[in-house]
Each structure stands twice: as structure tokens, then as C-alpha cells.
């Protein structure tokens, strides 16, 4: 099956918003092995939309439209597509009740023009909207399918997943399944060269590396009739990838490194403290992004100045004077000080030159030290030489520092 | 003049990337009052691209294409458009030298297929690429203009700004100019109702409010032949907007609230310390995002647990026991403690329940206190009742807390 995606909305043509809906739908359709050869954006204009529809259906069997289902006069997608299919609009009683309920629940008066949202092309499949007032539409005629979804992504995405995907899945005997391994602590080119024999020997499932900031994702994908069938092929490859990057895979899919570290701390009931110079609180912010972290993360120190490093963490004045604030020695004393003062099992410390200024020939921008104090009294220090801008250097440092802790917790 | 935008790239059709280029170009063309009635995405396929070009030129005089200028066999945009205009490709010597120089500078060998990037349609205007190897193309024939730009946004955007915009500007007698005022500390609906008389009395320049997270932007726009002419009309309106939201405008355009606060601190040579519970380091991270902040921000405390609030900030055990960690009283003592222990002019403190758990009927999720300790010994405390999720509550809290400080610094 071939499909096209048409986004309707003058705000897209004016560049006021980005067309993330097309990206979402394109990825979903690709997963179903449905070919998409064209995406189009048109304004809220019935004539131009009709023209775009004609063109799209001359090439494809399925056209998914987003936007223009709102209550205002401008919103004409449903009306235009129904006219194209020559179907009259009729009031759909369950949708009307849902819209009335919605306004009652929100304690807001329902306006007359909201009734328009319950008018549906005769004989269509109505797609219930669990996150707004505009129902979606699935129309099928002579082998051509038009699907209309609301424009706001938080309404569109669940409607696609819960209402459209099951209907499309019935028409597609197979789909793509994948597992994504999140890898940190080994560079993309190094990882690629380690995986190259595997990638080259392998045509199905496919193995594809994707560079993310400071980490790499390895996606293993195959096309199958069921998830079980897919995983029987994918799982052995995943094992081989894991063997190629021992200790470097912190999780799969959407899990973040901070969440993975938090899970390990909570499982092992170990506490951590933070002492941050150039990251200025970002490691604390990443950890406290995780609900429930208070069990294992109780305090942190932002020690931007030398005085703060001395007074809050007990870094020796001598160390700062002889080695400088950005040094292996200072990082180590910061970690020890945070561990001791916070009475924590572990402590992460970071000091460095994030840029854009402050670099010298001996200590250039991007020179950053991360230290980890461990329960056995040892301290591990990692020296980084990063090449990004200030923002990127800080973000990558957060990941590298958290990874130090992750590795200690998985030893 | 009417225009269309065609993005070329199979990675867009597969949903691997979002088409931010279309958004950027749409906004730029709207600024020039050039009408855009259609945006299209096609794959790296000469036949389908030719078809899309024919369609686009049947409706528009200007077609801007992005993507497909790379060195690989798949990259065929230039070849396809040149064939459409019936122009042969010739080596463009200055581009070839630039490409050779680029590889010399990167200390990487130039591959044979990079030569392809210096082949240009005969008689076209070559658009120099300052950020990569692919030059862009401006072709004009019988009143139809095709512009081809590279796909990566960091190459495309400067090429548009520096090479394409001046050529288009010559063809457009007028363009839109605007000023954007960043407003914080007054809700969108309150601000709209204050501005409504002004908005309704005003047709040119137009005044449009845009909600951002925790703040509002007011954009004042007019169409004029020159910036000076535009500002003569815009500036008086901006003054009226400022009068409608006294003390709430922290800056204009792209400046962030953290930057505005940092500027005030540096101008006044005042220091600030931070004490964070539910934001867990985010305020420190926002401040240290600003280069040069070390002059005014030296240390901060992440006090996630009650014990840390006592030991690091000297919050009274009694206060925590009788009022709780999330209370006006605790926020105040945190701010006083941070100010005292860091020996800072100001101190910002935050404590609250970001969610999703931890709420009670008396202290629901979203109840957050921000406190500011001032040089005169006073402490101001703001109570917030936010309704977002954990992430949003934390981000909005950072802004509200920074705004407390901004207001004190501008008193």
C-alpha cells in the first residue's frame, strides 16, 4: 500500500509551527511498510485542499490528513474531504454527547460552532478523540482511504495509536519491529568498527547505529507478522551487539541515562551526592528529574568559585593554588569532600572549562574532569577533552559523569 | 510573488527527521510578504522531483528546494532542477577551490565524488556555502526562479540569510518588521485583557500575544520599505505595551530571562546564591548557562532532604517539623541560610512538590514556594500553585524564581 500525508493549516504555511505530525505519521507508516512518496502542506482553503487531494489519490491509496477539524469557520478539512468523496455530513449522536460532556467537565459553556465537530460524513468510521473535542474520520470508498486526524499532536498521536493503527494493521500482514540499545562510553566510530563485521554479515535483521549527543543508539530491526516472530530473530543479534560493547549498554529505547542510574541506586539502596563546577547544577537537575529520587539523592553542591570549593567541599587551598581549579587533583578532592560532607555512598564531582572563554594553551576550552568517590574510599577521575560549544560540553559532561557512577554500580 | 517550498530527502519521507527547513523558509518568506500556498516533501528520486517541480511552477514563480546537494549518488536535486531548466552542468572553479580548501583545512582526503558538488548549472548564480562543501544555486528563467539550498539547517539557514535574502529583498519593495517584547509575571489572559483595547484600536502595526511556558511574548509587526520606517510606527506601540505591563518586560527577542538577570547582576556587581529543593540544581544550571556568570554566581546548594536543609542552610528543625519542608517559613529560612553561608548579596530558594507524587489535600502537587533574600535583610516569598506535570512545574518554577530576583534588581 502507498500513502501520502497532507497537513492542513495556514499556521504551517506561515512557518508559525513545525510540521511534527508529518514526521510522526511517516515513521508510523514506515513501520507498517507502507510506502510514503510525498508529504504536502496546504492552507485552510477548500479549493487548494481539493486539488491536493486529487493529486494525492492519483498516486496513493491511503491519504492521511491532519488539521482543520476545529470548531471555527476556517476549519474545513472534514467538509472538503466529504465533498470529494461525495458524502453528506450528518450529526453523529455519540460524538455530540462526548462534546457536550467535555464542556460540562471543563465547566465551560459549549458554543454553537462546536456542534459542527459532531457532523460526520455518512457511513464513515468515527475515530473517538480522548484528548479533545474533534473526532477523527476514516472514510473508505472504491479502495481509496482518507483518514482525517486533529492537528494538535497531543490529540493526533493517541488517536493514531489507538484508533488508526489497529485498522491499518489489519490491512498490513507484516510490520517492522525493532529493539534499540542505548550505548555510552564508546565513540560512534569505535563502535561502528567493532560492529562492522556483524553489520556486514547481517541483512535481516538490520543493525543501524545512530549518533546521539554523547551516546550512540543501535537499532536492530526486522519485518515480521508478529512481535514474537520478530524478537526470535532480533534477540540473538542484540546479544551479539552487547558482547561487542561490554558494559556500555545502559538500557533500551526511551530510558534516559539518569533514569538508569537512578534505578541502580534505588535497587542497591546507595546514596549519591554531587559537587559541580562547570555544570553548575545540571547533574543535580538530571537526577532530580526522576520521581522518587529523594530516597538516594539528598544533597548537592554547586561550587563555581574556588572559595566555594574550599568552604563547601574542603578542597585544599594548596591544591587549587598548585594544580588549579580545573585539574585531576581538584576533581578528586571535590568528590571526596562531597562524599564526606553529605555522608553519601558515592559522590560525583565535575570541574572544567566549558567555554567559550577561559581556555589557555595548557588548559584549553573543553578540558573537563569528572570524579567519582566510591564507598571503598577509592576515587576514579576521568579526563575529557570535548570539542563542542559551552552548552554541548556541559550536557556531554553530565552524561559522562553519570556514566562513571553507572559503571561503578554495575561492576 | 508566490512561492512554494520543496524539501527533498528520503529521510524526511521515512520520518527520521523533522522538516524544520520548511518552517524556517516559510517564516522568512512570510516576512517578505511572499505568499506560500504549498510545501512539499519528496524523496531523492529524479522522476518524482521533476513532477513536483512541474506542479509547483504551475502555481508559483519562486520554488525553494532544500536537500540533495550532497556528494553521493543519491543526491540529485541540482541535476534534476538543471535538467528541468534545460541547463548543462559545468565545473565552477571558485567552488572547486573552496571544496579543496575545506578538505585541506579538515585534514581529510577529498573524495572524487565531492567534485560533483562543484558542478553548477550554466549561467546560474552560485550561492557560497560558509559551513559546508555544497554550494547553493539560484536559477532564473522566463520569470521563474528556482533556489536550491543544502539540507542541513546549519548550512541552509546562513546561506539563506547571507545569499538568498538579499536577492529576494531586491524583488520585494516591502517586508515585515517586528519587535518582540518578552513579558513575565502576568498571565496570558490577564495581559490580553489589558492589551485588548490597544489590540482592537490597532490595525497597523498589529499586536499579537504568544504564550510561552511561564511567560508571554508580544509581537508588534508592520510592513514597510525600511527598518527605520517600520520602527517609527512600531516604537510608540511598544511604549504603550510597556505601560500596560509595568515592570513585566524583561527584554526583547531572543534574550532569555536568565541572561537578563545575569546582565542586571553584572551591571550592579551584586552576587547571588541559590538553594534548591524541588528544582534540584536547575536554577544554578540556568545561571551557569551564561558565560561570565562566575563574577556574580559563586555557589549554590541542592538541598533535597530535610537534613540537607538543616545542615547546609541552617533551617531550623522546628520549622521543618511544624510547617513542613514545603512551606513559606522553610523557603524563607532556606533563602536566609544561603545568603548568609554563601556571603552573597541575594539568595534565591525554592521548595515545593513538583509531582507526580507527594501531594496531600493540604499541600497538593504544584504547591511551590520561591523566596528571595535581599541585601537589606528582607525576604520576599512567593507561593505558586502550578498545574503542569513534574517537568513543566520545575521549569516554570525556575522562571518565577529568577523573576523574583529580576524585580528586586530593577526596583
Amino acid at each position: 500500500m502507498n500513502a501520502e500525508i497532507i497537513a492542513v493549516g495556514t499556521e504551517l504555511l506561515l512557518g508559525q509551527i513545525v510540521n511534527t505530525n508529518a514526521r510522526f505519521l511517516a515513521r508510523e507508516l514506515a513501520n507498517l511498510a507502507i510506502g510514503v512518496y510525498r508529504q504536502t502542506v496546504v492552507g485552510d482553503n477548500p479549493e487548494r485542499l481539493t486539488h491536493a487531494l486529487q493529486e494525492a489519490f492519483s498516486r496513493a491509496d491511503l491519504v492521511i490528513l491532519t488539521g482543520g477539524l476545529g470548531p471555527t469557520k476556517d476549519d474545513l478539512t472534514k467538509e472538503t474531504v466529504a465533498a470529494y468523496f461525495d458524502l453528506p455530513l450528518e450529526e453523529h449522536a455519540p460524538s455530540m454527547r462526548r462534546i457536550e460532556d467535555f464542556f460540562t467537565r471543563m465547566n465551560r459553556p459549549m458554543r454553537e460552532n462546536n456542534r459542527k465537530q459532531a457532523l460526520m460524513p455518512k457511513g464513515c468510521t468515527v475515530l473517538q478523540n480522548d484528548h479533545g473535542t474533534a473526532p477523527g474520520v476514516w472514510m473508505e470508498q472504491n479502495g481509496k482511504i482518507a483518514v482525517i486526524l486533529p492537528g494538535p499532536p497531543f490529540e493526533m498521536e493517541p488517536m493514531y495509536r489507538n484508533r488508526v493503527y489497529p485498522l491499518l494493521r489489519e490491512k498490513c500482514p507484516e510490520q517492522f519491529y525493532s529493539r534499540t540499545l542505548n550505548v555510552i562510553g564508546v565513540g560512534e566510530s569505535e563502535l561502528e568498527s567493532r560492529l562492522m563485521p556483524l553489520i556486514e554479515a547481517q541483512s535481516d535483521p538490520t543493525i543501524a547505529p545512530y549518533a546521539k549527543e554523547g551516546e550512540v543508539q543501535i537499532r536492530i530491526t526486522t519485518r515480521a507478522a508478529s512481535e514474537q516472530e520478530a524478537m526470535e530473530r532480533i534477540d540473538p543479534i542484540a546479544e551479539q551487539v552487547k558482547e561487542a560493547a561490554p558494559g556500555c549498554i545502559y538500557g533500551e529505547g526511551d530510558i534516559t541515562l539518569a533514569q538508569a542510574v537512578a534505578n541502580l541506586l534505588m535497587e542497591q539502596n546507595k546514596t549519591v551526592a554531587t559537587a559541580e563546577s562547570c555544570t553548575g547544577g545540571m547533574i543535580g537537575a538530571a537526577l532530580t528529574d526522576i520521581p522518587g529520587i529523594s530516597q538516594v539523592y539528598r544533597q548537592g553542591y554547586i561550587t563555581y568559585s574556588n572559595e566555594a570549593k574550599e568552604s563547601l567541599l574542603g578542597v585544599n587551598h594548596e591544591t587549587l593554588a598548585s594544580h588549579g581549579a580545573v585539574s585531576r587533583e581538584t576533581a578528586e578532592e571535590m568528590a571526596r569532600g562531597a562524599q564526606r560532607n553529605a555522608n553519601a555512598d558515592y559522590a560525583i564531582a565535575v570541574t572544567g572549562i566549558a567555554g567559550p572563554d577561559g581556555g589557555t594553551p595548557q588548559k584549553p576550552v573543553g578540558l573537563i574532569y569528572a570524579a567519582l568517590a566510591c564507598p571503598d574510599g577509592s576515587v576514579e577521575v576521568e579526563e575529557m577533552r570535548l570539542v563542542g560549544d559551552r552548552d554541548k560540553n556541559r550536557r556531554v559532561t553530565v552524561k559522562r559523569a553519570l556514566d562513571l557512577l553507572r559503571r561503578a554500580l554495575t561492576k
Side-chain angles (χ1 to χ4, degrees), chain A:
Chain A
M1 185 164 25
N2 285 345
E4 296 204 4
I5 298 166
I6 300 179
V8 185
T10 303
E11 68 278 23
L12 287 163
L13 288 183
L14 290 172
Q16 289 165 354
I17 56 172
V18 182
N19 190 5
T20 56
N21 286 345
R23 186 261 181 92
F24 172 86
L25 291 171
R27 201 160 39 176
E28 291 293 326
L29 294 172
N31 272 342
L32 287 167
I34 295 174
V36 175
Y37 297 117
R38 174 97 64 127
Q39 299 167 2
T40 306
V41 177
V42 291
D44 299 292
N45 177 299
E47 210 175 312
R48 295 201 190 97
L49 174 54
T50 302
H51 199 70
L53 260 183
Q54 284 165 346
E55 288 177 13
F57 275 123
S58 76
R59 294 179 294 249
D61 301 319
L62 167 67
V63 176
I64 302 189
L65 302 100
T66 57
L69 288 181
T72 75
K73 275 186 302 184
D74 291 347
D75 294 300
L76 288 164
T77 305
K78 193 170 55 186
E79 290 77 357
T80 306
V81 182
Y84 177 83
F85 274 53
D86 207 13
L87 295 173
L89 295 176
E90 308 180 325
E91 185 170 307
H92 182 248
S95 294
M96 184 59 80
R97 274 195 304 277
R98 288 186 63 82
I99 295 170
E100 287 164 353
D101 286 354
F102 181 90
F103 281 96
T104 309
R105 233 171 34 242
M106 301 286 284
N107 204 11
R108 287 202 326 234
M110 179 176 148
R111 301 204 194 134
E112 192 49 36
N113 54 8
N114 282 103
R115 304 187 77 81
K116 176 166 113 67
Q117 298 188 290
L119 295 177
M120 289 290 145
K122 187 174 175 171
C124 78
T125 302
V126 175
L127 309 171
Q128 185 176 306
N129 187 339
D130 298 322
H131 301 273
T133 57
V137 184
W138 172 292
M139 272 179 266
E140 207 166 340
Q141 206 175 67
N142 305 325
K144 299 286 185 184
I145 304 171
V147 179
I148 315 179
L149 302 175
F154 67 92
E155 299 182 27
M156 191 280 290
E157 294 183 9
M159 188 183 287
Y160 176 87
R161 285 208 183 90
N162 301 326
R163 316 282 168 203
V164 179
Y165 167 79
L167 295 173
L168 284 178
R169 187 67 179 88
E170 278 175 30
K171 298 188 182 282
C172 303
E174 295 190 322
Q175 72 172 64
F176 286 100
Y177 293 90
S178 63
R179 275 177 69 183
T180 302
L181 308 183
N182 303 332
V183 187
I184 190 159
V186 48
E188 193 197 6
S189 52
E190 165 66 18
L191 187 60
E192 267 201 69
S193 73
R194 284 195 214 165
L195 290 177
M196 203 40 86
L198 194 55
I199 291 175
E200 286 182 346
Q202 195 61 42
S203 64
D204 177 33
T206 57
I207 307 165
Y210 296 90
K212 281 183 66 178
E213 196 172 70
E215 50 185 291
V216 184
Q217 290 192 315
I218 303 291
R219 195 153 73 207
I220 309 163
T221 306
T222 192
R223 189 169 163 175
S226 73
E227 181 162 9
Q228 196 195 333
E229 182 194 325
M231 291 310 151
E232 279 168 14
R233 295 205 288 271
I234 288 175
D235 291 348
I237 306 291
E239 288 312 304
Q240 288 178 271
V241 172
K242 285 184 183 176
E243 282 163 25
C248 296
I249 291 161
Y250 70 77
E252 294 198 24
D254 288 337
I255 192 173
T256 62
L257 178 61
Q259 180 73 63
V261 168
N263 291 349
L264 288 167
L265 288 168
M266 292 193 249
E267 278 162 29
Q268 299 177 25
N269 203 23
K270 297 288 183 196
T271 59
V272 66
T274 54
E276 304 183 60
S277 186
C278 63
T279 49
M282 292 171 75
I283 299 173
L287 288 170
T288 58
D289 192 35
I290 313 297
I293 192 75
S294 58
Q295 189 192 324
V296 294
Y297 180 63
R298 295 178 192 148
Q299 69 194 66
Y301 308 84
I302 303 173
T303 54
Y304 218 58
S305 67
N306 282 359
E307 296 68 32
K309 291 178 183 73
E310 291 182 40
S311 65
L312 293 177
L313 302 173
V315 174
N316 282 309
H317 190 78
E318 277 305 294
T319 306
L320 289 163
S322 55
H323 299 282
V326 178
S327 64
R328 184 174 286 277
E329 291 76 7
T330 297
E332 178 175 337
E333 289 188 26
M334 286 172 69
R336 284 195 193 282
Q339 183 188 38
R340 180 180 60 240
N341 293 356
N343 193 23
D345 297 311
Y346 292 92
I348 302 174
V350 155
T351 182
I353 303 158
D357 308 314
T360 64
Q362 290 73 39
K363 296 189 176 180
V365 165
L367 177 68
I368 298 173
Y369 293 91
L372 178 73
C374 297
D376 65 3
S378 68
V379 178
E380 206 176 326
V381 185
E382 188 184 338
E383 179 184 296
M384 293 171 255
R385 290 173 181 268
L386 305 180
V387 292
D389 60 16
R390 180 180 181 89
D391 282 355
K392 188 175 171 191
N393 287 343
R394 287 172 17 114
R395 289 193 302 264
V396 170
T397 298
V398 171
K399 289 192 177 175
R400 296 276 285 265
L402 288 174
D403 193 47
L404 266 183
L405 176 55
R406 183 190 67 82
R407 284 169 189 270
L409 289 165
T410 49
K411 232 173 232 162

